Amino acid sequence: MQWAPLGPAEPVPPPLPPTRVDFTGNRPEFRKMVTKGAMLELVTFGFYRFWLVTDIRRHLWSNTSIDGDAAEYTGRAKELLIGFLIALAILVPIYLGYFLVGIEFERWKGFASTPLFIAFYAFGQFAIFRARRYRLTRTVWRGVRFWMDGSGWAYSFRAMLWGLLVFLTFGLALPWREASLERYKMQHTYFGDLQGDFEGDGWEFFKRGWWLWLLTPLALLFFPAAPFLYAEFKAREWRWWLNGIRIGGVSLSSDLPHNAFYGLYWKVIGWWMLLSVLFGFYAAGAAGIVAAAGGAPVGPDAIARNIPLLTMLVIGYLALALALNVVMRMYLQHDMWLKASETLVVHDIGVAADVRASGELASALGEGFADGLDVAGF
């Protein structure tokens, strides 16, 4: 027998209204943090970068709030350092073997070492996937951790095939490559027991920026056009990417304007030109001081034989590189994060109200590989 419920059925509550993402980070505080970090990187020969990267992530995560609750980054610098050292112990013999085998191969036949370049590209893609897994498992919101499954080598294989297709089509297949790889990453991404997905498609991305592909040869010939073109491409890519992200029933949308990043890239270029000029004056001054002290040898290898001048130039070059890192972190991390987050809207956030924690922590070795191959993100 079936019993009908007495009285009217309980009404289904309406979905929560869309909520905006709030970023409350203090720019002077961030600038002070990355400047101090750059100076400590200089005196620690770069090893402080693990602590600096951790501080940057904590700053960005903790100042980004969704529905009134900020995210939390639980990664530790010591994890990154240990992961990097383990990866270095693996990568150094590979680098050495690659160098020696590459020399021997080229002695017999030109371009014979190309397979080795391809192997390193494949390993780099594997490292990118594993580094993303590490960052997600150290990201917590409302007490629930993000996590990933999936195979880094399967991702690398896909990236290799798509990379070949992009090469053969002179870049036209890039939108479909990005959509396919992002879909693989998101379908293996979880927030607790909510599975992610990516609904952006290559054709939509292609329609957004096909004309940029046509203008690329012009930008290569006329440098002032290149920053505008690249900034336009990145803004359109960011908007397409954000609009395609799904976590369970939660979706994102963004109205990031196409010119959002123009000023950021031009500011980086302006600082790069200014710092390069200052380095030129510094190098000239260092050479003058050494010459005045009577320690300037002559000949084509004069700089290599002048240890004081060589030391001063190396210190100046490191200072230049770290200063450029400060500039890039300010404009291409903090300010870009701000511009993207202030246009971001989260829909159906109520779906994430009853999420069960799941997943396990990932090793920092993946990020160590990514850092060793210089493909790590922030």
Side-chain angles (χ1 to χ4, degrees):
M1 298 179 64
Q2 295 183 350
W3 298 90
L6 298 177
E10 289 291 333
V12 178
L16 294 175
T19 180
R20 302 198 70 85
V21 175
D22 298 316
F23 182 72
T24 57
N26 185 285
R27 197 172 190 273
E29 177 185 340
F30 185 86
R31 181 175 61 246
K32 180 179 178 181
M33 177 180 65
V34 296
T35 303
K36 175 185 174 182
M39 291 188 292
L40 289 173
E41 280 186 290
L42 181 62
V43 299
T44 60
F45 302 100
F47 277 93
Y48 186 77
R49 71 178 180 272
F50 304 107
W51 281 262
L52 178 57
V53 165
T54 300
D55 289 340
I56 289 174
R57 291 173 182 170
R58 285 176 180 167
H59 177 90
L60 295 177
W61 269 240
S62 63
N63 287 290
T64 303
S65 299
I66 303 174
D67 198 28
D69 292 307
E72 180 185 2
Y73 180 73
T74 61
R76 296 179 298 166
K78 188 180 295 185
E79 291 178 332
L80 297 181
L81 175 60
I82 294 174
F84 173 75
L85 293 176
I86 296 174
L88 203 63
I90 299 173
L91 289 175
V92 167
I94 296 177
Y95 272 121
L96 182 60
Y98 164 74
F99 176 74
L100 296 177
V101 173
I103 292 177
E104 188 63 28
F105 277 7
E106 293 297 348
R107 183 181 303 173
W108 293 98
K109 183 178 179 181
F111 304 106
S113 62
T114 301
L116 297 176
F117 283 100
I118 296 174
F120 262 76
Y121 177 79
F123 196 66
Q125 295 300 315
F126 166 82
I128 289 173
F129 185 87
R130 292 299 301 267
R132 185 178 189 271
R133 174 181 289 179
Y134 168 81
R135 291 192 297 272
L136 278 175
T137 59
R138 267 63 174 182
T139 300
V140 179
W141 184 67
R142 288 182 173 174
V144 179
R145 184 176 62 246
F146 289 84
W147 59 284
M148 278 187 72
D149 61 8
S151 168
W153 289 118
Y155 175 83
S156 176
F157 181 71
R158 284 172 169 81
M160 292 286 293
L161 292 180
W162 277 109
L164 176 62
L165 187 58
V166 170
F167 175 77
L168 295 176
T169 60
F170 301 99
L172 273 177
L174 179 64
W176 286 270
R177 174 189 184 273
E178 297 301 309
S180 176
L181 295 182
E182 193 62 36
R183 188 170 300 109
Y184 183 84
K185 288 186 290 187
M186 286 303 303
Q187 288 178 349
H188 291 281
T189 296
Y190 296 83
F191 174 62
D193 59 350
L194 291 183
Q195 184 178 9
D197 199 0
F198 186 73
E199 294 189 358
D201 61 79
W203 178 245
E204 178 190 359
F205 191 12
F206 177 79
K207 290 189 295 184
R208 288 173 181 262
W210 62 269
W211 57 276
L212 297 173
W213 178 81
L214 294 177
L215 293 177
T216 299
L218 175 63
L220 295 176
L221 295 174
F222 185 62
F223 170 75
F228 286 110
L229 197 69
Y230 188 71
E232 183 83 25
F233 170 78
K234 295 304 293 184
R236 291 173 182 271
E237 181 186 36
W238 271 71
R239 182 169 178 172
W240 167 80
W241 172 65
L242 291 171
N243 283 323
I245 292 177
R246 303 289 184 271
I247 298 287
V250 182
S251 61
L252 304 182
S253 65
S254 171
D255 58 354
L256 186 71
H258 69 95
N259 59 352
F261 300 151
Y262 282 0
L264 300 183
Y265 282 103
W266 272 109
K267 287 174 182 177
V268 170
I269 292 173
W271 275 105
W272 175 79
M273 295 176 65
L274 175 61
L275 291 171
S276 298
V277 170
L278 292 177
F279 176 74
F281 284 123
Y282 168 83
I289 292 174
V290 172
V298 295
D301 58 343
I303 295 179
R305 292 186 292 110
N306 192 323
I307 302 302
L309 178 58
L310 184 62
T311 302
M312 295 175 69
L313 290 179
V314 169
I315 293 175
Y317 176 77
L318 291 176
L320 171 65
L322 293 175
L324 287 174
N325 276 336
V326 171
V327 171
M328 294 179 68
R329 284 164 175 157
M330 284 299 304
Y331 293 112
L332 302 185
Q333 288 188 1
H334 180 278
D335 291 356
M336 191 173 285
W337 184 286
L338 171 63
K339 285 183 176 293
S341 61
E342 66 185 7
T343 67
L344 196 57
V345 176
V346 183
H347 303 270
D348 299 324
I349 191 66
V351 176
D354 298 317
V355 178
R356 294 192 303 271
S358 185
E360 298 180 355
L361 291 176
S363 168
L365 182 59
E367 178 127 350
F369 281 128
D371 197 71
L373 294 167
D374 197 25
V375 293
F378 67 91

